[in-house]
Amino acid sequence: MSTGTPSSPPQIDTSKAHPARVYDWLLGGKDNYPVDEAVGEKLPPEARDAARQNRRFMQRAAAWLAGQGVDQFLDIGTGIPTEPNLHQIVQGIVPSAKVVYTDNDPIVLRHAEALLVSSPEGATDYIAADVRSPGDIIRHARGVLDFERPIGLSLIALMHFLPDDQDPLGIVGELRAALPSGSYLVLSHAASDLHSELAEQVTAEYARAGIRLGFRTRAQVARFFDGLDLVEPGLVTAPQWYRTPPAPTPEDSGIYAGVARLP
């Protein structure tokens, strides 16, 4: 089943670029506007590679978690649906899995209504909310997910849209604190120390569109996992993270990725 349809969806602002729609453009999607395309076209070609690497990391991590018996997922910063979506992956392994999607772009919500259709045994829900309001997200998610059992928290290519002055560590800490023991954090994040010139170029182009970024070093990204048990192979680049053979094709990347278990 699917739930969470809003009675009056907020209006879409087509005059300003939005990260979810730029990401859609980078993935070759059609659910974006000229203002988003304008940003995407100014980004280096490696940005498309990063978007694809992010997506595939999410798919591998979600499948692995479902294979470990995790049947509840909270995906924040969902982005515009691009198949296979997280719920399609996990419900293909555990048909009764429940997934709550969250994004702050109205176009994502509208696509969610039409496309994020659950398996009959499971459930999908979606909420228009911002990760900077973690309490609101948790309150909504409690209506669908059982917070007495493990949950997979997915933060894919999201936290680098929160500079340090927006307290990203505190936000992730609040989300983590609400999760029960045995839950997992799945996180990918743009690097500032792998390809610094490209990182600076991407940051500058987004800034021209009014979107602030906070790329981070490996040590800074690792802080999101403090106190958790990192799953092998640890915090690596997105193409290097896998648990089930075959291994992804080796390629250069400016994205860190990791999965960790809450003790």
Side-chain angles (χ1 to χ4, degrees):
M1 65 177 180
S2 298
T3 59
T5 303
S7 56
S8 56
Q11 294 299 308
I12 297 170
D13 184 353
T14 61
S15 67
K16 297 179 181 178
H18 189 283
R21 301 195 305 261
V22 175
Y23 189 59
D24 176 71
W25 186 87
L26 291 172
L27 288 170
K30 304 298 182 183
D31 299 306
N32 50 77
Y33 296 95
V35 67
D36 308 301
E37 182 178 354
V39 175
E41 286 182 336
K42 293 177 182 177
L43 297 176
E46 290 85 354
R48 290 193 178 195
D49 294 334
R52 172 180 49 80
Q53 292 165 355
N54 261 308
R55 193 75 187 171
R56 292 183 178 174
F57 161 68
M58 180 278 290
Q59 293 165 352
R60 292 192 299 273
W64 181 77
L65 287 180
Q68 301 303 299
V70 178
D71 63 357
Q72 303 186 105
F73 293 83
L74 176 56
D75 182 40
I76 305 177
T78 300
I80 294 167
T82 302
E83 293 190 347
N85 299 303
L86 188 150
H87 76 280
Q88 292 173 315
I89 293 170
V90 300
Q91 290 180 351
I93 299 169
V94 184
S96 61
K98 297 179 179 180
V99 179
V100 173
Y101 289 108
T102 305
D103 205 282
N104 68 350
D105 183 5
I107 196 173
V108 172
L109 196 64
R110 293 186 180 183
H111 282 280
E113 296 171 27
L115 298 177
L116 301 182
V117 180
S118 171
S119 68
E121 303 93 333
T124 59
D125 195 15
Y126 35 89
I127 175 177
D130 195 297
V131 69
R132 289 167 290 194
S133 300
D136 292 343
I137 295 173
I138 293 299
R139 280 190 292 273
H140 179 93
R142 288 187 185 278
V144 179
L145 307 179
D146 179 1
F147 277 70
E148 299 298 318
R149 298 191 302 107
I151 293 169
L153 171 61
S154 176
L155 301 173
I156 300 297
L158 175 62
M159 301 315 294
H160 53 245
F161 287 101
L162 274 66
D164 288 344
D165 61 7
Q166 296 184 9
D167 192 23
L169 286 172
I171 289 170
V172 174
E174 186 172 344
L175 291 167
R176 285 173 39 175
L179 301 178
S181 175
S183 295
Y184 287 86
L185 171 62
V186 180
L187 183 144
S188 64
H189 195 293
S192 64
D193 57 347
L194 291 177
H195 303 284
S196 57
E197 290 185 2
L198 289 175
E200 291 172 2
Q201 182 181 349
V202 170
T203 299
E205 292 299 339
Y206 271 99
R208 291 187 182 96
I211 300 171
R212 298 173 64 208
L213 293 176
F215 287 14
R216 296 181 170 91
T217 66
R218 186 183 184 280
Q220 290 170 326
V221 175
R223 293 186 64 192
F224 290 110
F225 296 101
D226 280 353
L228 307 185
D229 299 322
L230 273 166
V231 174
E232 290 294 336
L235 181 58
V236 294
T237 62
Q240 293 175 317
W241 197 98
Y242 77 100
R243 294 290 297 166
T244 305
T249 301
E251 58 180 318
D252 200 12
S253 177
I255 302 293
Y256 289 121
V259 176
R261 186 179 186 274
L262 276 69

mmCIF file of all heavy atoms in Angstrom, residues 51-68:
data_model
loop_
_atom_site.group_PDB
_atom_site.id
_atom_site.type_symbol
_atom_site.label_atom_id
_atom_site.label_comp_id
_atom_site.label_asym_id
_atom_site.label_seq_id
_atom_site.Cartn_x
_atom_site.Cartn_y
_atom_site.Cartn_z
ATOM 1 N N ALA A 51 26.801 11.380 -9.777
ATOM 2 C CA ALA A 51 25.379 11.092 -9.587
ATOM 3 C C ALA A 51 25.085 9.614 -9.821
ATOM 4 O O ALA A 51 24.364 8.973 -9.050
ATOM 5 C CB ALA A 51 24.544 11.959 -10.522
ATOM 6 N N ARG A 52 25.675 9.076 -10.874
ATOM 7 C CA ARG A 52 25.472 7.657 -11.176
ATOM 8 C C ARG A 52 26.090 6.785 -10.085
ATOM 9 O O ARG A 52 25.486 5.794 -9.650
ATOM 10 C CB ARG A 52 26.097 7.339 -12.537
ATOM 11 C CG ARG A 52 26.138 5.861 -12.890
ATOM 12 C CD ARG A 52 26.763 5.639 -14.260
ATOM 13 N NE ARG A 52 28.034 6.347 -14.418
ATOM 14 C CZ ARG A 52 29.195 5.915 -13.934
ATOM 15 N NH1 ARG A 52 29.246 4.766 -13.233
ATOM 16 N NH2 ARG A 52 30.313 6.599 -14.137
ATOM 17 N N GLN A 53 27.282 7.136 -9.624
ATOM 18 C CA GLN A 53 27.946 6.355 -8.576
ATOM 19 C C GLN A 53 27.137 6.374 -7.281
ATOM 20 O O GLN A 53 27.010 5.349 -6.601
ATOM 21 C CB GLN A 53 29.348 6.900 -8.339
ATOM 22 C CG GLN A 53 30.301 6.676 -9.497
ATOM 23 C CD GLN A 53 31.558 7.521 -9.398
ATOM 24 O OE1 GLN A 53 31.685 8.350 -8.490
ATOM 25 N NE2 GLN A 53 32.491 7.321 -10.318
ATOM 26 N N ASN A 54 26.597 7.526 -6.942
ATOM 27 C CA ASN A 54 25.732 7.641 -5.774
ATOM 28 C C ASN A 54 24.554 6.702 -5.865
ATOM 29 O O ASN A 54 24.216 5.988 -4.921
ATOM 30 C CB ASN A 54 25.210 9.086 -5.661
ATOM 31 C CG ASN A 54 25.979 9.932 -4.681
ATOM 32 O OD1 ASN A 54 26.168 9.549 -3.537
ATOM 33 N ND2 ASN A 54 26.412 11.085 -5.119
ATOM 34 N N ARG A 55 23.898 6.749 -7.015
ATOM 35 C CA ARG A 55 22.686 5.947 -7.213
ATOM 36 C C ARG A 55 22.990 4.459 -7.074
ATOM 37 O O ARG A 55 22.250 3.705 -6.436
ATOM 38 C CB ARG A 55 22.096 6.256 -8.588
ATOM 39 C CG ARG A 55 20.697 5.728 -8.799
ATOM 40 C CD ARG A 55 19.698 6.557 -8.051
ATOM 41 N NE ARG A 55 18.368 5.968 -8.124
ATOM 42 C CZ ARG A 55 17.334 6.397 -7.420
ATOM 43 N NH1 ARG A 55 17.474 7.403 -6.591
ATOM 44 N NH2 ARG A 55 16.157 5.823 -7.524
ATOM 45 N N ARG A 56 24.073 4.028 -7.674
ATOM 46 C CA ARG A 56 24.401 2.604 -7.645
ATOM 47 C C ARG A 56 24.852 2.159 -6.261
ATOM 48 O O ARG A 56 24.579 1.026 -5.846
ATOM 49 C CB ARG A 56 25.448 2.290 -8.712
ATOM 50 C CG ARG A 56 24.888 2.441 -10.125
ATOM 51 C CD ARG A 56 25.873 2.071 -11.205
ATOM 52 N NE ARG A 56 25.254 2.190 -12.520
ATOM 53 C CZ ARG A 56 25.907 2.035 -13.660
ATOM 54 N NH1 ARG A 56 27.208 1.755 -13.655
ATOM 55 N NH2 ARG A 56 25.275 2.164 -14.821
ATOM 56 N N PHE A 57 25.546 3.045 -5.543
ATOM 57 C CA PHE A 57 25.887 2.718 -4.158
ATOM 58 C C PHE A 57 24.617 2.511 -3.343
ATOM 59 O O PHE A 57 24.514 1.549 -2.571
ATOM 60 C CB PHE A 57 26.735 3.827 -3.547
ATOM 61 C CG PHE A 57 26.739 3.799 -2.038
ATOM 62 C CD1 PHE A 57 27.357 2.755 -1.350
ATOM 63 C CD2 PHE A 57 26.119 4.806 -1.308
ATOM 64 C CE1 PHE A 57 27.343 2.718 0.047
ATOM 65 C CE2 PHE A 57 26.109 4.783 0.081
ATOM 66 C CZ PHE A 57 26.714 3.736 0.759
ATOM 67 N N MET A 58 23.656 3.412 -3.479
ATOM 68 C CA MET A 58 22.396 3.267 -2.746
ATOM 69 C C MET A 58 21.755 1.920 -3.053
ATOM 70 O O MET A 58 21.283 1.220 -2.156
ATOM 71 C CB MET A 58 21.438 4.403 -3.117
ATOM 72 C CG MET A 58 20.075 4.336 -2.403
ATOM 73 S SD MET A 58 18.864 3.205 -3.184
ATOM 74 C CE MET A 58 18.484 4.108 -4.689
ATOM 75 N N GLN A 59 21.730 1.546 -4.312
ATOM 76 C CA GLN A 59 21.085 0.295 -4.707
ATOM 77 C C GLN A 59 21.795 -0.912 -4.099
ATOM 78 O O GLN A 59 21.145 -1.836 -3.592
ATOM 79 C CB GLN A 59 21.053 0.213 -6.231
ATOM 80 C CG GLN A 59 20.146 1.261 -6.869
ATOM 81 C CD GLN A 59 20.368 1.426 -8.361
ATOM 82 O OE1 GLN A 59 21.313 0.853 -8.933
ATOM 83 N NE2 GLN A 59 19.533 2.208 -9.012
ATOM 84 N N ARG A 60 23.129 -0.910 -4.113
ATOM 85 C CA ARG A 60 23.870 -2.034 -3.533
ATOM 86 C C ARG A 60 23.678 -2.092 -2.024
ATOM 87 O O ARG A 60 23.475 -3.180 -1.460
ATOM 88 C CB ARG A 60 25.365 -1.916 -3.863
ATOM 89 C CG ARG A 60 25.715 -2.092 -5.321
ATOM 90 C CD ARG A 60 27.212 -2.261 -5.539
ATOM 91 N NE ARG A 60 28.000 -1.116 -5.094
ATOM 92 C CZ ARG A 60 28.268 -0.051 -5.848
ATOM 93 N NH1 ARG A 60 27.790 0.023 -7.076
ATOM 94 N NH2 ARG A 60 29.016 0.932 -5.376
ATOM 95 N N ALA A 61 23.738 -0.932 -1.373
ATOM 96 C CA ALA A 61 23.608 -0.906 0.086
ATOM 97 C C ALA A 61 22.205 -1.332 0.513
ATOM 98 O O ALA A 61 22.054 -2.101 1.472
ATOM 99 C CB ALA A 61 23.926 0.493 0.613
ATOM 100 N N ALA A 62 21.185 -0.841 -0.177
ATOM 101 C CA ALA A 62 19.811 -1.194 0.174
ATOM 102 C C ALA A 62 19.578 -2.688 0.005
ATOM 103 O O ALA A 62 18.947 -3.333 0.850
ATOM 104 C CB ALA A 62 18.829 -0.397 -0.684
ATOM 105 N N ALA A 63 20.090 -3.245 -1.086
ATOM 106 C CA ALA A 63 19.915 -4.684 -1.320
ATOM 107 C C ALA A 63 20.617 -5.498 -0.246
ATOM 108 O O ALA A 63 20.085 -6.509 0.237
ATOM 109 C CB ALA A 63 20.445 -5.051 -2.707
ATOM 110 N N TRP A 64 21.805 -5.052 0.149
ATOM 111 C CA TRP A 64 22.533 -5.787 1.179
ATOM 112 C C TRP A 64 21.790 -5.734 2.512
ATOM 113 O O TRP A 64 21.664 -6.762 3.199
ATOM 114 C CB TRP A 64 23.942 -5.224 1.345
ATOM 115 C CG TRP A 64 24.723 -5.979 2.384
ATOM 116 C CD1 TRP A 64 25.309 -7.207 2.237
ATOM 117 C CD2 TRP A 64 24.956 -5.568 3.742
ATOM 118 N NE1 TRP A 64 25.905 -7.587 3.415
ATOM 119 C CE2 TRP A 64 25.704 -6.602 4.355
ATOM 120 C CE3 TRP A 64 24.623 -4.443 4.470
ATOM 121 C CZ2 TRP A 64 26.111 -6.535 5.687
ATOM 122 C CZ3 TRP A 64 25.034 -4.373 5.798
ATOM 123 C CH2 TRP A 64 25.757 -5.403 6.392
ATOM 124 N N LEU A 65 21.283 -4.550 2.886
ATOM 125 C CA LEU A 65 20.551 -4.430 4.146
ATOM 126 C C LEU A 65 19.305 -5.311 4.136
ATOM 127 O O LEU A 65 19.006 -5.986 5.129
ATOM 128 C CB LEU A 65 20.156 -2.981 4.398
ATOM 129 C CG LEU A 65 21.282 -2.034 4.814
ATOM 130 C CD1 LEU A 65 20.742 -0.631 5.026
ATOM 131 C CD2 LEU A 65 21.967 -2.525 6.084
ATOM 132 N N ALA A 66 18.581 -5.296 3.033
ATOM 133 C CA ALA A 66 17.392 -6.148 2.951
ATOM 134 C C ALA A 66 17.779 -7.613 3.081
ATOM 135 O O ALA A 66 17.079 -8.407 3.725
ATOM 136 C CB ALA A 66 16.651 -5.901 1.641
ATOM 137 N N GLY A 67 18.925 -7.976 2.508
ATOM 138 C CA GLY A 67 19.405 -9.343 2.631
ATOM 139 C C GLY A 67 19.788 -9.709 4.046
ATOM 140 O O GLY A 67 19.806 -10.894 4.404
ATOM 141 N N GLN A 68 20.101 -8.693 4.860
ATOM 142 C CA GLN A 68 20.409 -8.922 6.273
ATOM 143 C C GLN A 68 19.149 -8.961 7.131
ATOM 144 O O GLN A 68 19.235 -9.121 8.351
ATOM 145 C CB GLN A 68 21.333 -7.816 6.801
ATOM 146 C CG GLN A 68 22.653 -7.689 6.061
ATOM 147 C CD GLN A 68 23.436 -8.980 6.063
ATOM 148 O OE1 GLN A 68 23.804 -9.503 7.107
ATOM 149 N NE2 GLN A 68 23.682 -9.518 4.869
#
